[in-house]
Amino acid sequence: MSSLQELQDKVADLQKQNEILGMENEMLADYLQRDAERTNGLEDTDEALSDLPSSPMDKGKKAAKGGRQGQQRRQLPTTLSLEERFRIANQEMEALTKDIAQTKLTSDQNLDILKALMEETDIRIAEVKRDAYEFRRDIVVGAENPRTGKTVAEKVLKYMEDKLTQKDMQINKLLMKNQAYKVAIKKAEAQLKSKAETGDDLQYIDFHQLQIENSQFVKRIEEANQELMELKRRAGRTVKILNNMKKKLSSLTAEAKFLEDEIKERKAMLAKTEHDIVKVVEEKEAARKEHKKLRAQSRQSPEMPQVVDYVSQKAEAYELEAQKRNWERKVELAETAAKRIRQAVKNGTQLPGR
């Protein structure tokens, strides 16, 4: 049991050593590849890689091969010293640090680009919503004929022409900017060509000065980009506020139109009422004049009956009519009673004869 445990421990130690050697070989391969890229010594790198084994198995194979070949070639070193390993590890760590920093810088730039694209997308979405709102306001609602309910073709054509004119103006503006950029590029190329022809080589100081200017320009460009993004955000908020104001304006316009219609209706009713008042006043004035005329005529001819006499006679006539109706009712009742008496008498005379 003890010998089996010792063998297992040895196997575990060998596996651990193999893992360490594999990691060292990978690091050495990366180092040699980087060094080959810097020095363009690919052949030397391949030769060095062929001389250095990547695992203990390779060591065994090379040892067996060397035993077969004997003294045909000289044995080369197959291990690295601790200082060489430390130097390679430090260089690889520095290279990895630079790669991480470059990747982080690239990721930050990509993130800024994506943020700018998202903001531009939001602005374009707001512009599309604004165009849709203007189309609905000017064409769907504004160009509708209130009598027929159909859209007026002239307004639609005018709307399309205005939009095409705006697009043409934007295209011309972009073409002018593109032409200006082309002129600036040609000017810079001409300056570079003239410097190359005159043989003005950049000295270290000039190169350092250009690096400083480049860093300053990069900083200015970043500030300008941040300012541009801030302006885009403000423009987006302004467009949103403008759309809300337009909605409020449309609702207030509809309410104002309703109030104007109601005011017109009230004014029409008021005019009609004033006309009726004037008509009643005229009728009253005409009746007053007629009454005055009748009173004057009654004063001139005293033989004519007075109004009081007419009223009293009319009242007497009503009373006589009422009395007449009462007497007619009494006569009807008396006739009914007489008929009953006659019927009773008749019945009384016939009963003894039977």
Side-chain angles (χ1 to χ4, degrees):
M1 293 294 293
S2 61
S3 61
L4 180 62
Q5 185 66 31
E6 290 177 357
L7 289 174
Q8 290 178 353
D9 294 337
K10 289 181 180 181
V11 170
D13 293 337
L14 289 174
Q15 289 179 352
K16 187 174 181 181
Q17 291 178 4
N18 286 333
E19 291 178 357
I20 295 171
L21 289 174
M23 293 170 55
E24 291 179 355
N25 289 331
E26 289 179 359
M27 185 184 298
L28 181 60
D30 293 335
Y31 169 75
L32 293 175
Q33 185 176 0
R34 293 178 189 276
D35 187 67
E37 290 177 356
R38 288 194 297 267
T39 59
N40 293 325
L42 295 176
E43 294 179 357
D44 297 337
T45 304
D46 294 335
E47 184 178 357
L49 286 173
S50 64
D51 292 336
L52 292 175
S54 59
S55 64
M57 294 178 66
D58 293 336
K59 291 181 180 179
K61 289 180 181 179
K62 284 189 178 251
K65 188 176 180 182
R68 288 194 304 266
Q69 290 179 355
Q71 299 297 326
Q72 292 180 0
R73 64 176 184 175
R74 184 170 53 89
Q75 185 70 27
L76 295 175
T78 59
T79 58
L80 296 175
S81 63
L82 184 62
E83 293 180 356
E84 291 175 343
R85 293 178 184 178
F86 181 72
R87 180 171 57 82
I88 292 171
N90 283 334
Q91 291 182 2
E92 286 298 313
M93 187 179 67
E94 292 177 358
L96 288 174
T97 304
K98 290 180 181 179
D99 291 338
I100 291 170
Q102 184 66 28
T103 305
K104 186 178 180 181
L105 180 61
T106 306
S107 300
D108 293 336
Q109 291 177 355
N110 293 330
L111 184 61
D112 294 335
I113 292 170
L114 290 175
K115 287 181 179 179
L117 289 174
M118 289 177 65
E119 291 178 359
E120 185 178 0
T121 303
D122 293 335
I123 292 171
R124 289 187 178 181
I125 289 171
E127 290 177 355
V128 170
K129 288 182 179 179
R130 182 185 61 191
D131 293 336
Y133 172 76
E134 290 178 355
F135 182 80
R136 183 177 179 277
R137 182 193 62 191
D138 297 336
I139 302 302
V140 178
V141 179
E144 184 179 358
N145 192 344
R147 184 173 58 84
T148 60
K150 297 181 179 180
T151 304
V152 181
E154 289 78 5
K155 291 185 178 180
V156 177
L157 291 175
K158 186 177 181 301
Y159 178 83
M160 293 299 179
E161 290 176 356
D162 293 339
K163 287 294 179 182
L164 290 174
T165 303
Q166 292 178 3
K167 295 295 182 183
D168 291 336
M169 292 175 64
Q170 188 176 4
I171 289 170
N172 292 329
K173 186 177 180 180
L174 293 175
L175 288 174
M176 291 175 65
K177 284 186 177 180
N178 191 13
Q179 189 65 28
Y181 288 147
K182 286 182 179 180
V183 171
I185 290 170
K186 288 182 179 179
K187 185 176 180 181
E189 288 178 351
Q191 290 178 357
L192 291 174
K193 187 176 180 181
S194 63
K195 286 183 178 181
E197 290 176 354
T198 54
D200 293 337
D201 295 332
L202 293 176
Q203 300 297 326
Y204 176 75
I205 298 174
D206 296 333
F207 182 73
H208 187 64
Q209 183 69 26
L210 288 175
Q211 283 184 340
I212 295 172
E213 291 179 357
N214 187 20
S215 62
Q216 292 176 355
F217 286 139
V218 168
K219 187 176 180 181
R220 290 180 184 177
I221 289 170
E222 290 178 355
E223 292 176 355
N225 289 330
Q226 291 178 359
E227 186 177 358
L228 180 61
M229 292 190 330
E230 181 66 24
L231 290 175
K232 286 183 178 180
R233 286 194 289 268
R234 290 182 183 176
R237 291 194 294 267
T238 305
V239 169
K240 187 176 180 181
I241 295 171
L242 181 62
N243 291 329
N244 294 328
M245 291 297 179
K246 285 182 178 179
K247 290 180 181 178
K248 291 181 181 179
L249 180 61
S250 62
S251 61
L252 292 174
T253 304
E255 186 178 358
K257 188 177 180 181
F258 174 75
L259 292 175
E260 287 178 358
D261 295 336
E262 190 174 359
I263 289 170
K264 289 180 182 178
E265 186 178 356
R266 295 289 179 86
K267 284 183 178 179
M269 292 174 63
L270 181 62
K272 185 178 179 182
T273 305
E274 290 178 353
H275 179 70
D276 294 338
I277 291 171
V278 172
K279 188 175 180 181
V280 170
V281 170
E282 291 177 354
E283 292 178 355
K284 178 184 176 182
E285 188 67 22
R288 189 179 65 78
K289 290 180 179 180
E290 186 69 22
H291 179 67
K292 188 176 180 181
K293 184 178 179 181
L294 293 173
R295 288 181 65 183
Q297 289 179 359
S298 63
R299 289 172 185 170
Q300 291 177 2
S301 57
E303 296 179 357
M304 293 181 63
Q306 297 296 324
V307 177
V308 179
D309 297 336
Y310 174 75
V311 172
S312 61
Q313 290 178 3
K314 196 72 174 175
E316 290 177 0
Y318 287 148
E319 290 177 0
L320 292 174
E321 287 289 336
Q323 291 177 5
K324 177 184 176 183
R325 287 193 296 272
N326 291 332
W327 283 109
E328 287 177 352
R329 181 65 177 165
K330 289 179 181 180
V331 169
E332 288 178 359
L333 293 174
E335 287 180 354
T336 304
K339 285 181 181 179
R340 290 177 181 174
I341 293 169
R342 288 193 198 99
Q343 187 69 27
V345 171
K346 186 177 180 180
N347 293 331
T349 55
Q350 289 179 358
L351 288 172
R354 291 179 184 176

